[in-house]
């Protein structure tokens, strides 16, 4: 059985009633449904504990950055089924070339140089989609998270 965002949120607040009125959003990793499936399963397995996005996307999408240890995120797989609830433990804005080796490892399990190569192309695509130019000095948001709930149907 697969869950939608409302169903997983109801399960979560039954176990954590103090979170009932806490802000929460739902999203999936970009790059298509296959990439979202792979990345969401890496999160569920504990192999992925971070993500990075272009800072300009927050302004473009008229969204505020999450508040560490407060806001919750419902994570979807590539079929838009809710697979986990996350909570950010660190939210840091910095130039792309200031992202640390520790963050790269938490995100992809790779070295910083491999992470930079793979993310440079992805972030360039994000920037172009909103009419911006990406450089190594472009601001990014490095988000570190923990899984706080896995649905009972998984």
């Amino acid at each position: 059985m697969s869950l939608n965002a409302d169903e997983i949120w109801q399960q979560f607040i039954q176990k954590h009633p103090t979170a009932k009125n806490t802000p929460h959003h739902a999203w999936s990793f970009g790059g298509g449904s296959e990439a979202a499936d792979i990345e969401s399963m890496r999160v569920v397995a504990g192999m992925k504990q971070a993500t990075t996005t272009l800072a300009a996307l927050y302004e473009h999408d008229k969204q505020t950055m999450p508040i560490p240890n407060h806001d919750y995120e419902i994570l979807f797989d590539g079929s838009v089924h809710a697979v986990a609830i996350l909570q950010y433990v660190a939210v840091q804005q910095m130039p792309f070339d200031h992202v640390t080796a520790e963050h790269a490892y938490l995100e992809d399990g790779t070295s910083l140089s491999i992470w930079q190569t793979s993310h440079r192309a992805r972030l360039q695509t994000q920037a172009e989609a909103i009419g911006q130019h990406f450089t190594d000095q472009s601001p990014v948001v490095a988000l570190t998270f923990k899984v706080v709930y896995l649905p009972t149907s998984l």
Side-chain angles (χ1 to χ4, degrees):
M1 179 179 146
S2 58
L3 298 175
N4 65 34
D6 290 334
E7 292 166 335
I8 195 173
W9 186 251
Q10 289 305 313
Q11 280 186 11
F12 176 67
I13 62 173
Q14 283 178 357
K15 294 187 183 221
H16 305 278
T18 58
K20 183 176 183 177
N21 296 317
T22 305
H24 60 283
H25 305 93
W27 60 278
S28 64
F29 289 99
S33 63
E34 184 177 342
D37 280 342
I38 292 167
E39 294 302 301
S40 65
M41 288 303 108
R42 290 184 65 232
V43 168
V44 169
M47 298 168 56
K48 182 176 183 76
Q49 300 168 28
T51 192
T52 308
T53 192
L54 193 64
L57 285 177
Y58 284 95
E59 183 177 330
H60 179 267
D61 295 341
K62 296 178 178 39
Q63 293 183 351
T64 58
M65 282 192 238
I67 300 169
N69 300 309
H70 184 263
D71 298 1
Y72 293 97
E73 301 281 341
I74 298 168
L75 179 63
F76 291 134
D77 64 11
S79 300
V80 196
H81 299 136
V83 297
I85 295 180
L86 313 175
Q87 190 173 48
Y88 292 110
V89 295
V91 177
Q92 300 174 299
Q93 186 170 329
M94 67 191 74
F96 173 78
D97 62 0
H98 284 60
V99 173
T100 66
E102 178 185 14
H103 183 83
Y105 185 80
L106 290 173
E107 183 166 359
D108 285 345
T110 61
S111 70
L112 180 59
S113 62
I114 293 170
W115 179 91
Q116 287 174 331
T117 300
S118 67
H119 282 70
R120 192 174 279 116
R122 183 176 63 82
L123 294 167
Q124 177 64 42
T125 301
Q126 286 180 352
E128 289 172 359
I130 61 170
Q132 300 216 358
H133 179 70
F134 177 79
T135 70
D136 280 1
Q137 290 74 47
S138 294
V140 297
V141 180
L143 305 126
T144 306
F145 55 80
K146 62 183 175 182
V147 174
V148 294
Y149 184 75
L150 295 172
T152 56
S153 68
L154 280 181

